Amino acid sequence: MLGWAVTFLIIAIIAAIFGFGGIAGAAAGIAKIIFFIFIALLVLSLVANALRGKPPKA
């Protein structure tokens, strides 16, 4: 999911360089939304793992 956020960020930067304001804004917005979803899922995963209390397997 983080890869999708980075992809949309790159699309937004390229679109901004070429002057496509609407496309750049939309891609940047999508990248932000996906990034925050990724962060929320990461935190949820870390909390669930901490509550489970099992050590990670090597």
Side-chain angles (χ1 to χ4, degrees):
M1 191 174 298
L2 188 58
W4 280 105
V6 172
T7 302
F8 279 110
L9 179 63
I10 291 171
I11 291 171
I13 291 171
I14 292 171
I17 289 172
F18 289 117
F20 302 118
I23 297 172
I30 292 170
K32 277 198 265 187
I33 291 169
I34 293 174
F35 177 74
F36 285 121
I37 290 172
F38 169 78
I39 294 297
L41 290 175
L42 174 69
V43 170
L44 184 66
S45 175
L46 291 174
V47 168
N49 194 24
L51 292 176
R52 205 174 319 155
K54 295 179 184 175
K57 294 181 178 179

